[in-house]
Amino acid sequence: MNKNVPSRYSIIRKLTSLDSHINVNKKSAAVSHPSNMKEVKEKVHGTFYVVFISLLLDLLAFTMILPLLPSLLDHYRENDTTGLYSWLSRQVYFFQKMVGAPDKFNSVLFGGFLGSMFSFLQFVTSPIIGGISDVVGRKIVMLVCMVGISFSYVLWALSNNLVLFILARILGGISKGNVSISMAIITDVSTINTRGKGMALVGIAFSLGFIVGPMIGAIFAVWAKQKTGNWFVVPALFALMLSIADVIYFAIFFKESLPKEKRAKHFAATLDHAKTLINVKDLFQFTAVKNIKSQDLKELRRLGLIYFVYLFIYSGLEFTLTFLTHHVFNYTSMQQGWMFFAIGLTMAIIQGAFVRRVPPHKTRSTGILGLWIIIPSFISVGLATGPLLLYFGLFLYAVSTAMVVPSITTLASQHGTEQQKGTVMGIFRSLGALARALGPIVASIAFWGVGSKITYLIGSIFLFWPVLALKDKV
């Protein structure tokens, strides 16, 4: 997708060219170039850029914790004043001795629960929050979410014990409906021709957030460790500062995108739709998609299952990656920050130079290639005992990640009418959230019980099913 908005002068040149062509042969121009003329005249809505900056501020703050989580849980193991960490460790002591898991791997297990809990809360609340915004408007609901996120960073900054940190993650998960509302805003103000550019800006915000955010968190954590015992306070306060800036910016610059006359009249209808995005059976059956050909519905269900299975396995192995590098390779927070930076930069390059240029008829083959690449990626990471094989596996991981999800979601978007696209994408987002709610805890239990090598190798074996299923067309 083209990420650049045409300049005023390029538009003038195109219009001038079209005008001269029309003067030469008006009838031919009218037949040959109506779509081009419309594309030249149609500009993206200014709200796109407001959403982009708001999401970027949010994601920079959100991703700061990624390289810090293993060190944070190690910190609470040593310094938790409530005794919750010790109590949790005693609860798993019997199974820990049974499988021979070392004490330090308990943080992997507890981290998996926290990661899954955060994603599960997103899975439940995002459709409900989106439904409420359909009735009362986007702005007020978005601001409430942003304030909730800000308070979660306040709790993180104050979390000198594990209880407060868990409460911070719970509040953050409940409030994280801002991403789905951002997608709804893009839909509100876009046309068929400009929606792709709006979604591209969302993708750029995610890429930049995951490239820069972890580095910011690691830099502040390293600096704070030299100054204070509660080293996590400085990253948390900086995340809070970014989130407050986001609230102020959005309150000032965002103009309501859903006018009153276009809003849903009753909560019952919108919440009923939200219920279909939470009900697991309805989700996999694509019940919310109405009046669709049986062949298209069958293909959507198959793509949804492929997407879920892939993300379930992928998100689990992805989540445990920071614990692998922390416990097995003794990475510091700073080294983990550089790791996320390299992964994010590689993804951005692949998406910008290759994925966005893939023609529609090659979308499926691109997704299949990405799914093939992720298998040797996780094998390499699982078997790595030194940096060379680890870096090779992480490079393949970044390349695959840049290819798979865009390809599968693009394939899904080809089914259903234009009015159904939002529903189809909403179901896919919910399937992704559910997969990310289940994957981390399953992978963390496996990591804790049988170790990283077996976990990654078993995961890579199960990843054969999505690629073979995608190759088999309906």
Side-chain angles (χ1 to χ4, degrees):
M1 286 178 285
N2 190 356
K3 301 174 184 174
N4 299 316
V5 179
S7 70
R8 181 169 41 183
Y9 302 106
S10 67
I11 292 175
I12 292 172
R13 286 197 300 271
K14 289 181 181 179
L15 286 172
T16 304
S17 174
L18 281 170
D19 185 57
S20 64
H21 184 76
I22 291 170
N23 288 334
V24 173
N25 192 336
K26 288 184 179 181
K27 184 176 180 180
S28 174
V31 173
S32 304
H33 299 281
S35 61
N36 288 347
M37 292 173 67
K38 184 177 181 181
E39 182 180 349
V40 169
K41 292 178 180 179
E42 193 165 13
K43 296 181 180 180
V44 297
H45 200 283
T47 302
F48 284 12
Y49 302 106
V50 177
V51 171
F52 167 75
I53 294 173
S54 174
L55 265 181
L56 182 59
L57 289 170
D58 172 71
L59 290 165
L60 286 173
F62 171 72
T63 55
M64 284 175 59
I65 199 173
L66 294 179
L68 310 182
L69 188 56
S71 296
L72 271 169
L73 291 173
D74 284 351
H75 171 81
Y76 292 124
R77 183 179 63 191
E78 302 294 333
N79 302 285
D80 181 28
T81 56
T82 65
L84 178 60
Y85 196 103
S86 299
W87 182 84
L88 290 172
S89 296
R90 289 196 298 272
Q91 304 313 302
V92 299
Y93 178 79
F94 173 78
F95 299 101
Q96 181 183 350
K97 292 302 177 184
M98 182 186 298
V99 299
D103 288 338
K104 67 178 183 179
F105 279 9
N106 285 353
S107 65
V108 183
L109 186 64
F110 301 154
F113 276 101
L114 286 174
S116 288
M117 176 196 68
F118 189 92
S119 295
F120 180 75
L121 290 171
Q122 278 187 279
F123 166 69
V124 173
T125 60
S126 288
I128 296 173
I129 290 171
I132 294 172
S133 75
D134 287 340
V135 179
V136 303
R138 311 297 188 202
K139 187 169 187 176
I140 183 64
V141 178
M142 180 72 103
L143 287 173
V144 169
C145 288
M146 289 177 173
V147 171
I149 292 169
S150 295
F151 274 109
S152 76
Y153 294 136
V154 172
L155 288 177
W156 180 22
L158 297 174
S159 61
N160 56 2
N161 59 69
L162 185 59
V163 173
L164 277 178
F165 182 69
I166 291 174
L167 289 175
R169 300 305 288 169
I170 290 174
L171 182 57
I174 292 173
S175 306
K176 209 66 183 132
N178 63 318
V179 176
S180 60
I181 297 179
S182 296
M183 300 289 191
I185 291 170
I186 294 293
T187 303
D188 291 340
V189 299
S190 64
T191 65
I192 296 173
N193 295 325
T194 62
R195 191 166 301 156
K197 292 182 179 179
M199 294 304 176
L201 284 173
V202 172
I204 294 170
F206 269 88
S207 296
L208 290 175
F210 278 84
I211 290 172
V212 181
M215 281 298 300
I216 295 175
I219 290 170
F220 275 114
V222 169
W223 177 82
K225 279 183 179 179
Q226 301 170 356
K227 305 291 183 180
T228 176
N230 289 338
W231 52 269
F232 56 86
V233 174
V234 175
L237 289 176
F238 190 75
L240 174 62
M241 185 185 74
L242 289 173
S243 67
I244 292 174
D246 192 15
V247 173
I248 296 172
Y249 172 80
F250 194 83
I252 294 173
F253 291 100
F254 178 74
K255 296 180 180 179
E256 179 58 59
S257 63
L258 187 63
K260 290 184 178 180
E261 61 272 15
K262 291 186 177 181
R263 295 176 191 174
K265 303 304 179 184
H266 305 288
F267 283 106
T270 59
L271 294 181
D272 186 60
H273 175 70
K275 181 182 174 182
T276 64
L277 298 179
I278 299 172
N279 184 298
V280 176
K281 182 180 178 181
D282 288 342
L283 201 59
F284 281 96
Q285 292 297 313
F286 284 75
T287 305
V289 183
K290 308 294 184 181
N291 301 319
I292 186 174
K293 295 178 181 179
S294 59
Q295 188 74 1
D296 281 354
L297 181 60
K298 184 178 180 182
E299 175 67 2
L300 272 178
R301 289 172 176 171
R302 196 173 67 92
L303 287 172
L305 183 59
I306 292 170
Y307 184 66
F308 174 82
V309 172
Y310 162 76
L311 270 185
F312 169 74
I313 301 169
Y314 169 89
S315 65
L317 301 181
E318 174 194 44
F319 181 84
T320 57
L321 182 60
T322 54
F323 292 93
L324 171 74
T325 53
H326 178 73
H327 289 299
V328 178
F329 293 93
N330 298 313
Y331 270 26
T332 63
S333 296
M334 195 66 208
Q335 288 173 305
Q336 295 217 6
W338 280 112
M339 178 184 74
F340 281 109
F341 178 84
I343 290 172
L345 184 61
T346 303
M347 287 172 56
I349 292 172
I350 296 298
Q351 286 175 333
F354 172 65
V355 176
R356 75 182 183 91
R357 301 176 187 274
V358 172
H361 68 279
K362 290 189 177 180
T363 300
R364 183 180 294 271
S365 60
T366 301
I368 292 170
L369 177 61
L371 286 170
W372 277 124
I373 292 174
I374 198 67
I375 296 172
S377 163
F378 283 126
I379 292 175
S380 299
V381 172
L383 295 177
T385 56
L388 189 61
L389 191 56
L390 176 66
Y391 295 160
F392 175 71
L394 292 178
F395 172 75
L396 294 181
Y397 162 85
V399 172
S400 172
T401 302
M403 298 166 67
V404 175
V405 172
S407 298
I408 296 179
T409 52
T410 299
L411 288 173
S413 70
Q414 296 170 357
H415 299 279
T417 63
E418 187 62 34
Q419 292 72 29
Q420 295 171 326
K421 304 296 186 189
T423 302
V424 171
M425 291 298 99
I427 292 173
F428 264 75
R429 283 196 297 273
S430 291
L431 284 171
L434 180 60
R436 290 184 178 279
L438 299 175
I441 185 57
V442 173
S444 296
I445 291 173
F447 189 114
W448 176 78
V450 298
S452 58
K453 183 178 295 185
I454 295 178
T455 299
Y456 276 71
L457 291 179
I458 291 176
S460 64
I461 292 172
F462 281 114
L463 281 167
F464 274 98
W465 183 84
V467 66
L468 294 176
L470 190 60
K471 287 185 69 176
D472 182 23
K473 294 184 180 181
V474 173

mmCIF file of all heavy atoms in Angstrom, residues 343-374:
data_model
loop_
_atom_site.group_PDB
_atom_site.id
_atom_site.type_symbol
_atom_site.label_atom_id
_atom_site.label_comp_id
_atom_site.label_asym_id
_atom_site.label_seq_id
_atom_site.Cartn_x
_atom_site.Cartn_y
_atom_site.Cartn_z
ATOM 1 N N ILE A 343 14.057 -6.579 15.156
ATOM 2 C CA ILE A 343 12.903 -7.310 14.631
ATOM 3 C C ILE A 343 11.914 -6.345 13.987
ATOM 4 O O ILE A 343 11.441 -6.559 12.860
ATOM 5 C CB ILE A 343 12.216 -8.118 15.756
ATOM 6 C CG1 ILE A 343 13.105 -9.287 16.192
ATOM 7 C CG2 ILE A 343 10.850 -8.640 15.294
ATOM 8 C CD1 ILE A 343 12.595 -10.016 17.422
ATOM 9 N N GLY A 344 11.599 -5.261 14.681
ATOM 10 C CA GLY A 344 10.642 -4.284 14.154
ATOM 11 C C GLY A 344 11.134 -3.610 12.889
ATOM 12 O O GLY A 344 10.363 -3.396 11.944
ATOM 13 N N LEU A 345 12.428 -3.278 12.851
ATOM 14 C CA LEU A 345 12.988 -2.630 11.667
ATOM 15 C C LEU A 345 12.946 -3.568 10.462
ATOM 16 O O LEU A 345 12.591 -3.155 9.347
ATOM 17 C CB LEU A 345 14.424 -2.193 11.951
ATOM 18 C CG LEU A 345 15.128 -1.408 10.844
ATOM 19 C CD1 LEU A 345 14.382 -0.111 10.558
ATOM 20 C CD2 LEU A 345 16.580 -1.113 11.233
ATOM 21 N N THR A 346 13.288 -4.831 10.685
ATOM 22 C CA THR A 346 13.229 -5.821 9.595
ATOM 23 C C THR A 346 11.808 -5.970 9.080
ATOM 24 O O THR A 346 11.569 -6.006 7.863
ATOM 25 C CB THR A 346 13.753 -7.185 10.085
ATOM 26 O OG1 THR A 346 15.078 -7.047 10.582
ATOM 27 C CG2 THR A 346 13.746 -8.205 8.945
ATOM 28 N N MET A 347 10.841 -6.032 9.987
ATOM 29 C CA MET A 347 9.441 -6.150 9.584
ATOM 30 C C MET A 347 9.008 -4.948 8.755
ATOM 31 O O MET A 347 8.336 -5.094 7.727
ATOM 32 C CB MET A 347 8.553 -6.276 10.819
ATOM 33 C CG MET A 347 8.632 -7.612 11.522
ATOM 34 S SD MET A 347 7.738 -7.607 13.104
ATOM 35 C CE MET A 347 6.111 -7.086 12.559
ATOM 36 N N ALA A 348 9.405 -3.747 9.207
ATOM 37 C CA ALA A 348 9.009 -2.535 8.488
ATOM 38 C C ALA A 348 9.599 -2.511 7.076
ATOM 39 O O ALA A 348 8.922 -2.128 6.113
ATOM 40 C CB ALA A 348 9.464 -1.306 9.274
ATOM 41 N N ILE A 349 10.854 -2.934 6.948
ATOM 42 C CA ILE A 349 11.507 -2.960 5.637
ATOM 43 C C ILE A 349 10.815 -3.961 4.710
ATOM 44 O O ILE A 349 10.531 -3.664 3.543
ATOM 45 C CB ILE A 349 13.004 -3.288 5.782
ATOM 46 C CG1 ILE A 349 13.726 -2.128 6.486
ATOM 47 C CG2 ILE A 349 13.638 -3.561 4.413
ATOM 48 C CD1 ILE A 349 15.169 -2.452 6.846
ATOM 49 N N ILE A 350 10.529 -5.163 5.230
ATOM 50 C CA ILE A 350 9.884 -6.197 4.419
ATOM 51 C C ILE A 350 8.486 -5.752 3.996
ATOM 52 O O ILE A 350 8.085 -5.914 2.835
ATOM 53 C CB ILE A 350 9.816 -7.533 5.187
ATOM 54 C CG1 ILE A 350 11.229 -8.071 5.459
ATOM 55 C CG2 ILE A 350 9.007 -8.567 4.406
ATOM 56 C CD1 ILE A 350 12.018 -8.390 4.219
ATOM 57 N N GLN A 351 7.737 -5.161 4.942
ATOM 58 C CA GLN A 351 6.390 -4.715 4.605
ATOM 59 C C GLN A 351 6.412 -3.572 3.589
ATOM 60 O O GLN A 351 5.605 -3.543 2.657
ATOM 61 C CB GLN A 351 5.671 -4.271 5.884
ATOM 62 C CG GLN A 351 5.238 -5.434 6.761
ATOM 63 C CD GLN A 351 4.643 -4.977 8.079
ATOM 64 O OE1 GLN A 351 4.968 -3.900 8.576
ATOM 65 N NE2 GLN A 351 3.797 -5.803 8.668
ATOM 66 N N GLY A 352 7.362 -2.640 3.760
ATOM 67 C CA GLY A 352 7.419 -1.496 2.864
ATOM 68 C C GLY A 352 7.955 -1.835 1.492
ATOM 69 O O GLY A 352 7.446 -1.345 0.468
ATOM 70 N N ALA A 353 8.984 -2.690 1.453
ATOM 71 C CA ALA A 353 9.644 -2.971 0.178
ATOM 72 C C ALA A 353 9.016 -4.137 -0.580
ATOM 73 O O ALA A 353 9.137 -4.214 -1.805
ATOM 74 C CB ALA A 353 11.131 -3.270 0.421
ATOM 75 N N PHE A 354 8.332 -5.036 0.120
ATOM 76 C CA PHE A 354 7.845 -6.243 -0.547
ATOM 77 C C PHE A 354 6.345 -6.465 -0.374
ATOM 78 O O PHE A 354 5.599 -6.514 -1.359
ATOM 79 C CB PHE A 354 8.613 -7.463 -0.035
ATOM 80 C CG PHE A 354 8.074 -8.780 -0.508
ATOM 81 C CD1 PHE A 354 8.097 -9.119 -1.858
ATOM 82 C CD2 PHE A 354 7.506 -9.677 0.385
ATOM 83 C CE1 PHE A 354 7.576 -10.326 -2.309
ATOM 84 C CE2 PHE A 354 6.988 -10.889 -0.042
ATOM 85 C CZ PHE A 354 7.020 -11.208 -1.393
ATOM 86 N N VAL A 355 5.880 -6.558 0.869
ATOM 87 C CA VAL A 355 4.507 -6.992 1.110
ATOM 88 C C VAL A 355 3.492 -6.039 0.502
ATOM 89 O O VAL A 355 2.506 -6.460 -0.108
ATOM 90 C CB VAL A 355 4.251 -7.149 2.635
ATOM 91 C CG1 VAL A 355 2.793 -7.507 2.901
ATOM 92 C CG2 VAL A 355 5.163 -8.239 3.198
ATOM 93 N N ARG A 356 3.713 -4.733 0.634
ATOM 94 C CA ARG A 356 2.727 -3.785 0.115
ATOM 95 C C ARG A 356 2.669 -3.775 -1.406
ATOM 96 O O ARG A 356 1.737 -3.239 -1.999
ATOM 97 C CB ARG A 356 3.009 -2.381 0.646
ATOM 98 C CG ARG A 356 4.198 -1.667 0.009
ATOM 99 C CD ARG A 356 4.414 -0.297 0.640
ATOM 100 N NE ARG A 356 5.491 0.443 0.007
ATOM 101 C CZ ARG A 356 5.335 1.275 -1.008
ATOM 102 N NH1 ARG A 356 4.126 1.455 -1.519
ATOM 103 N NH2 ARG A 356 6.357 1.923 -1.530
ATOM 104 N N ARG A 357 3.688 -4.338 -2.064
ATOM 105 C CA ARG A 357 3.725 -4.375 -3.519
ATOM 106 C C ARG A 357 3.208 -5.699 -4.086
ATOM 107 O O ARG A 357 3.193 -5.888 -5.300
ATOM 108 C CB ARG A 357 5.161 -4.150 -4.007
ATOM 109 C CG ARG A 357 5.761 -2.825 -3.556
ATOM 110 C CD ARG A 357 7.219 -2.714 -3.992
ATOM 111 N NE ARG A 357 7.870 -1.536 -3.445
ATOM 112 C CZ ARG A 357 7.843 -0.332 -4.003
ATOM 113 N NH1 ARG A 357 7.193 -0.155 -5.135
ATOM 114 N NH2 ARG A 357 8.462 0.686 -3.434
ATOM 115 N N VAL A 358 2.819 -6.623 -3.213
ATOM 116 C CA VAL A 358 2.359 -7.930 -3.684
ATOM 117 C C VAL A 358 1.037 -7.772 -4.424
ATOM 118 O O VAL A 358 0.068 -7.226 -3.884
ATOM 119 C CB VAL A 358 2.178 -8.894 -2.503
ATOM 120 C CG1 VAL A 358 1.510 -10.192 -2.954
ATOM 121 C CG2 VAL A 358 3.524 -9.202 -1.850
ATOM 122 N N PRO A 359 0.950 -8.230 -5.672
ATOM 123 C CA PRO A 359 -0.312 -8.131 -6.417
ATOM 124 C C PRO A 359 -1.355 -9.078 -5.824
ATOM 125 O O PRO A 359 -1.002 -10.089 -5.195
ATOM 126 C CB PRO A 359 0.076 -8.554 -7.839
ATOM 127 C CG PRO A 359 1.323 -9.366 -7.680
ATOM 128 C CD PRO A 359 2.033 -8.818 -6.488
ATOM 129 N N PRO A 360 -2.638 -8.751 -6.005
ATOM 130 C CA PRO A 360 -3.702 -9.552 -5.379
ATOM 131 C C PRO A 360 -3.628 -11.041 -5.685
ATOM 132 O O PRO A 360 -3.900 -11.873 -4.815
ATOM 133 C CB PRO A 360 -4.982 -8.929 -5.958
ATOM 134 C CG PRO A 360 -4.600 -7.513 -6.265
ATOM 135 C CD PRO A 360 -3.173 -7.584 -6.719
ATOM 136 N N HIS A 361 -3.233 -11.409 -6.906
ATOM 137 C CA HIS A 361 -3.234 -12.830 -7.264
ATOM 138 C C HIS A 361 -2.093 -13.602 -6.598
ATOM 139 O O HIS A 361 -2.053 -14.834 -6.657
ATOM 140 C CB HIS A 361 -3.162 -13.001 -8.781
ATOM 141 C CG HIS A 361 -1.852 -12.570 -9.399
ATOM 142 N ND1 HIS A 361 -1.572 -11.242 -9.674
ATOM 143 C CD2 HIS A 361 -0.759 -13.280 -9.775
ATOM 144 C CE1 HIS A 361 -0.355 -11.159 -10.200
ATOM 145 N NE2 HIS A 361 0.150 -12.372 -10.285
ATOM 146 N N LYS A 362 -1.172 -12.881 -5.935
ATOM 147 C CA LYS A 362 -0.065 -13.552 -5.239
ATOM 148 C C LYS A 362 -0.184 -13.466 -3.714
ATOM 149 O O LYS A 362 0.744 -13.842 -3.008
ATOM 150 C CB LYS A 362 1.268 -12.955 -5.696
ATOM 151 C CG LYS A 362 1.631 -13.292 -7.129
ATOM 152 C CD LYS A 362 3.049 -12.862 -7.464
ATOM 153 C CE LYS A 362 3.429 -13.279 -8.884
ATOM 154 N NZ LYS A 362 4.815 -12.859 -9.223
ATOM 155 N N THR A 363 -1.317 -12.982 -3.237
ATOM 156 C CA THR A 363 -1.499 -12.837 -1.792
ATOM 157 C C THR A 363 -1.425 -14.178 -1.076
ATOM 158 O O THR A 363 -0.764 -14.328 -0.050
ATOM 159 C CB THR A 363 -2.852 -12.162 -1.490
ATOM 160 O OG1 THR A 363 -2.886 -10.872 -2.105
ATOM 161 C CG2 THR A 363 -3.052 -11.993 0.007
ATOM 162 N N ARG A 364 -2.127 -15.178 -1.625
ATOM 163 C CA ARG A 364 -2.131 -16.496 -0.985
ATOM 164 C C ARG A 364 -0.732 -17.106 -0.975
ATOM 165 O O ARG A 364 -0.288 -17.631 0.057
ATOM 166 C CB ARG A 364 -3.106 -17.435 -1.704
ATOM 167 C CG ARG A 364 -3.222 -18.824 -1.059
ATOM 168 C CD ARG A 364 -4.214 -19.692 -1.828
ATOM 169 N NE ARG A 364 -5.550 -19.155 -1.726
ATOM 170 C CZ ARG A 364 -6.404 -19.485 -0.753
ATOM 171 N NH1 ARG A 364 -6.052 -20.340 0.190
ATOM 172 N NH2 ARG A 364 -7.615 -18.966 -0.744
ATOM 173 N N SER A 365 -0.024 -17.035 -2.089
ATOM 174 C CA SER A 365 1.319 -17.626 -2.146
ATOM 175 C C SER A 365 2.279 -16.895 -1.206
ATOM 176 O O SER A 365 3.188 -17.519 -0.632
ATOM 177 C CB SER A 365 1.857 -17.582 -3.580
ATOM 178 O OG SER A 365 1.941 -16.256 -4.066
ATOM 179 N N THR A 366 2.075 -15.586 -1.014
ATOM 180 C CA THR A 366 2.909 -14.839 -0.066
ATOM 181 C C THR A 366 2.648 -15.303 1.362
ATOM 182 O O THR A 366 3.582 -15.493 2.151
ATOM 183 C CB THR A 366 2.617 -13.331 -0.177
ATOM 184 O OG1 THR A 366 2.888 -12.896 -1.508
ATOM 185 C CG2 THR A 366 3.475 -12.532 0.793
ATOM 186 N N GLY A 367 1.372 -15.511 1.698
ATOM 187 C CA GLY A 367 1.038 -16.028 3.025
ATOM 188 C C GLY A 367 1.602 -17.415 3.257
ATOM 189 O O GLY A 367 2.110 -17.725 4.348
ATOM 190 N N ILE A 368 1.529 -18.266 2.237
ATOM 191 C CA ILE A 368 2.078 -19.628 2.348
ATOM 192 C C ILE A 368 3.588 -19.582 2.564
ATOM 193 O O ILE A 368 4.128 -20.303 3.410
ATOM 194 C CB ILE A 368 1.722 -20.444 1.088
ATOM 195 C CG1 ILE A 368 0.210 -20.712 1.038
ATOM 196 C CG2 ILE A 368 2.500 -21.758 1.043
ATOM 197 C CD1 ILE A 368 -0.268 -21.290 -0.277
ATOM 198 N N LEU A 369 4.273 -18.720 1.817
ATOM 199 C CA LEU A 369 5.722 -18.577 1.986
ATOM 200 C C LEU A 369 6.057 -18.123 3.399
ATOM 201 O O LEU A 369 6.984 -18.653 4.034
ATOM 202 C CB LEU A 369 6.264 -17.578 0.958
ATOM 203 C CG LEU A 369 7.765 -17.256 1.052
ATOM 204 C CD1 LEU A 369 8.600 -18.515 0.847
ATOM 205 C CD2 LEU A 369 8.142 -16.179 0.029
ATOM 206 N N GLY A 370 5.301 -17.144 3.912
ATOM 207 C CA GLY A 370 5.536 -16.673 5.272
ATOM 208 C C GLY A 370 5.335 -17.770 6.303
ATOM 209 O O GLY A 370 6.096 -17.872 7.277
ATOM 210 N N LEU A 371 4.324 -18.612 6.098
ATOM 211 C CA LEU A 371 4.072 -19.716 7.034
ATOM 212 C C LEU A 371 5.172 -20.776 6.959
ATOM 213 O O LEU A 371 5.519 -21.382 7.984
ATOM 214 C CB LEU A 371 2.707 -20.356 6.724
ATOM 215 C CG LEU A 371 1.485 -19.537 7.154
ATOM 216 C CD1 LEU A 371 0.206 -20.138 6.581
ATOM 217 C CD2 LEU A 371 1.399 -19.476 8.676
ATOM 218 N N TRP A 372 5.720 -20.999 5.773
ATOM 219 C CA TRP A 372 6.852 -21.933 5.665
ATOM 220 C C TRP A 372 8.063 -21.392 6.418
ATOM 221 O O TRP A 372 8.786 -22.130 7.094
ATOM 222 C CB TRP A 372 7.219 -22.159 4.200
ATOM 223 C CG TRP A 372 6.409 -23.177 3.463
ATOM 224 C CD1 TRP A 372 5.706 -22.995 2.315
ATOM 225 C CD2 TRP A 372 6.216 -24.566 3.814
ATOM 226 N NE1 TRP A 372 5.079 -24.160 1.929
ATOM 227 C CE2 TRP A 372 5.388 -25.145 2.829
ATOM 228 C CE3 TRP A 372 6.662 -25.361 4.869
ATOM 229 C CZ2 TRP A 372 4.992 -26.479 2.871
ATOM 230 C CZ3 TRP A 372 6.268 -26.704 4.905
ATOM 231 C CH2 TRP A 372 5.442 -27.236 3.920
ATOM 232 N N ILE A 373 8.295 -20.070 6.306
ATOM 233 C CA ILE A 373 9.490 -19.474 6.909
ATOM 234 C C ILE A 373 9.447 -19.524 8.430
ATOM 235 O O ILE A 373 10.489 -19.682 9.079
ATOM 236 C CB ILE A 373 9.652 -18.008 6.419
ATOM 237 C CG1 ILE A 373 9.979 -17.986 4.929
ATOM 238 C CG2 ILE A 373 10.748 -17.279 7.194
ATOM 239 C CD1 ILE A 373 10.013 -16.584 4.330
ATOM 240 N N ILE A 374 8.245 -19.410 9.031
ATOM 241 C CA ILE A 374 8.168 -19.371 10.494
ATOM 242 C C ILE A 374 8.586 -20.707 11.106
ATOM 243 O O ILE A 374 9.042 -20.763 12.256
ATOM 244 C CB ILE A 374 6.737 -18.997 10.952
ATOM 245 C CG1 ILE A 374 6.741 -18.524 12.405
ATOM 246 C CG2 ILE A 374 5.773 -20.145 10.805
ATOM 247 C CD1 ILE A 374 7.450 -17.235 12.657
#
